[in-house]
């Protein structure tokens, strides 16, 4: 055990153990204690083979029936931060594991690192494979082609965002869209209708979008289902579904600007 506590936050990737990086494996193996929040039993058993001293953060997950672990998911996440920090403060080398990339849509990972650093402990996050990385591979989307933007789905509908229709759009967490209470594991009653209405501000009703679920088991293919924006209201969405909205049209060249700076426009158009 260390004199000083440390915190390393790692991710399993989406497909465990295939996506686990060598540096993440080393961190898990060498930790005094490992805090884990992964959804699938295969992920958990993989981690148990690397380190026996496991604390399962899923025990602290919010339970809507009993309001166990707080009033909503946010309160449950704060409890997770508290138990992680407790072990760091007691001078242990702590590894905290989340699925996918540990810094992508994972509140307790960022907060734990921030607090540990504020208290003077060494804390770092290692990168990992996120659902978005899988999407780029499975849907053959290159974010460098026309640019790419990503939003949390409820963020997009409740705030005054304006997505760029000339670039790709990735919407996370459509499986809980519209649930401002953070207590449900499904869209709110009007969640998908609100999403449709918002998207219709910028895209035509027949614009085809993709319901995407990366494979989480070696033999399982990804879900890649095309629907129109109009059909979104009746779409089957799960907690792991991500929505991909392709660009509506390519951006127009800023001819004036290019002329002003003597840019060879023949090199830019294809
Ligand atoms: C709390 S976030 C966790 C993201 C995760 N840390 C990552 O790096 O991908 C959950 C959201 O990630 C996306 N997601 C998680 N698993 C996925 C999968 N297998 N396929 C597609 N999207 C997924 C969905 O948008 C889901 O609502």
């Amino acid at each position: 055990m260390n004199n000083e506590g440390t915190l390393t936050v790692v991710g399993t990737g989406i497909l465990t153990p295939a996506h686990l990086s060598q540096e993440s494996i080393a961190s898990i193996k060498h930790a005094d204690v490992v805090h884990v929040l992964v959804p699938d039993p295969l992920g958990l058993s993989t981690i148990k083979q690397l380190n026996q001293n496991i604390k399962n953060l899923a025990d602290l997950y919010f339970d809507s029936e009993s309001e166990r672990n707080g009033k909503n998911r946010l309160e449950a996440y704060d409890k997770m931060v508290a138990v992680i920090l407790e072990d760091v403060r007691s001078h242990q080398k702590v590894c905290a594991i989340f699925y996918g990339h540990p810094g992508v849509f994972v509140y307790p990972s960022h907060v734990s690192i921030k607090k540990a650093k504020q208290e003077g402990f060494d804390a770092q996050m290692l990168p990992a494979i996120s659902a978005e990385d899988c999407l780029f591979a499975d849907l053959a989307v290159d974010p460098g082609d026309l640019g790419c933007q990503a939003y949390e789905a409820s963020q997009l509908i409740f705030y005054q965002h304006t997505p760029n229709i000339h670039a790709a759009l990735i919407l996370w967490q459509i499986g809980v869209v519209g649930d401002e209470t953070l207590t449900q594991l499904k869209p709110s009653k009007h969640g998908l209708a609100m999403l449709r209405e918002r998207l219709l501000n910028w895209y035509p009703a027949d614009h085809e979008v993709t319901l995407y679920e990366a494979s989480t088991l070696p033999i399982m293919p990804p879900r890649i289902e095309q629907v129109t924006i109009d059909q979104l209201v009746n779409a089957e969405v799960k907690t792991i579904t991500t929505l991909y909205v392709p660009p509506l049209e390519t951006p127009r060249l800023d001819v004036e600007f290019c002329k002003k700076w003597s840019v060879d426009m023949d090199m830019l158009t294809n």
Side-chain angles (χ1 to χ4, degrees), residues 14 77 98-106 129-132 171-176 212-216 238-243:
I14 299 297
Y77 292 147
F98 299 89
Y99 84 97
H101 185 302
V104 175
F105 291 83
V106 187
I129 295 175
S130 71
E132 187 179 82
L171 294 182
W172 295 73
Q173 303 199 152
I174 61 160
V176 289
Y212 173 67
E213 289 162 17
S215 168
T216 54
K238 303 187 190 137
T239 51
I240 63 164
T241 313
T242 296
L243 189 71

Side-chain angles (χ1 to χ4, degrees), residues 3-248:
N3 283 336
E4 287 300 327
T6 62
L7 173 62
T8 307
V9 174
V10 308
T12 57
I14 299 297
L15 191 66
T16 329
H19 288 179
L20 255 182
S21 73
Q22 292 302 320
E23 64 172 352
S24 299
I25 291 172
S27 288
I28 298 168
K29 275 186 178 168
H30 296 127
D32 297 320
V33 57
V34 178
H35 290 265
V36 191
L37 186 63
V38 295
D40 63 308
L42 185 60
L44 196 60
S45 69
T46 304
I47 292 157
K48 277 184 181 156
Q49 283 165 25
L50 297 171
N51 193 319
Q52 294 290 312
N53 198 10
I54 300 281
K55 292 188 183 174
N56 195 348
L57 293 171
D59 296 341
L60 295 175
Y61 214 79
F62 169 69
D63 173 49
S64 57
E65 301 288 297
S66 60
E67 293 204 353
R68 184 168 57 90
N69 295 323
K71 285 199 282 297
N72 57 30
R73 282 199 293 281
L74 205 57
E75 288 196 10
Y77 292 147
D78 284 334
K79 287 182 189 294
M80 295 178 196
V81 173
V83 298
I84 292 169
L85 263 287
E86 201 176 280
D87 281 343
V88 177
R89 289 184 197 116
S90 64
H91 310 295
Q92 305 203 66
K93 197 190 274 184
V94 179
C95 181
I97 311 179
F98 299 89
Y99 84 97
H101 185 302
V104 175
F105 291 83
V106 187
Y107 165 85
S109 63
H110 286 288
V111 178
S112 299
I113 289 194
K114 193 173 166 199
K115 285 199 170 179
K117 282 185 174 171
Q118 277 169 349
E119 294 180 25
F121 298 104
D122 272 352
Q124 62 165 339
M125 180 183 287
L126 303 182
I129 295 175
S130 71
E132 187 179 82
D133 296 311
C134 299
L135 182 151
F136 292 145
D138 284 332
L139 302 191
V141 171
D142 185 340
D145 278 350
L146 293 173
C148 184
Q149 60 211 309
Y151 294 90
E152 202 278 335
S154 296
Q155 265 265 340
L156 183 80
I157 65 173
F158 291 143
Y159 292 83
Q160 295 185 20
H161 289 291
T162 307
N164 175 4
I165 58 161
H166 304 295
L169 170 65
I170 294 174
L171 294 182
W172 295 73
Q173 303 199 152
I174 61 160
V176 289
V177 65
D179 172 34
E180 77 281 17
T181 67
L182 303 179
T183 57
Q184 303 297 309
L185 289 176
K186 59 181 187 196
S188 71
K189 189 172 171 205
H190 301 300
L192 287 169
M194 289 192 282
L195 180 62
R196 174 183 169 277
E197 181 177 314
R198 273 293 196 211
L199 289 175
L200 287 178
N201 285 339
W202 309 295
Y203 299 91
D206 62 357
H207 191 54
E208 289 217 326
V209 298
T210 305
L211 297 161
Y212 173 67
E213 289 162 17
S215 168
T216 54
L217 289 170
I219 41 144
M220 196 179 79
R223 175 184 180 201
I224 299 174
E225 189 183 331
Q226 308 276 118
V227 294
T228 63
I229 288 181
D230 213 25
Q231 292 166 334
L232 266 181
V233 191
N234 298 316
E236 189 206 330
V237 294
K238 303 187 190 137
T239 51
I240 63 164
T241 313
T242 296
L243 189 71
Y244 172 68
V245 183
L248 188 57

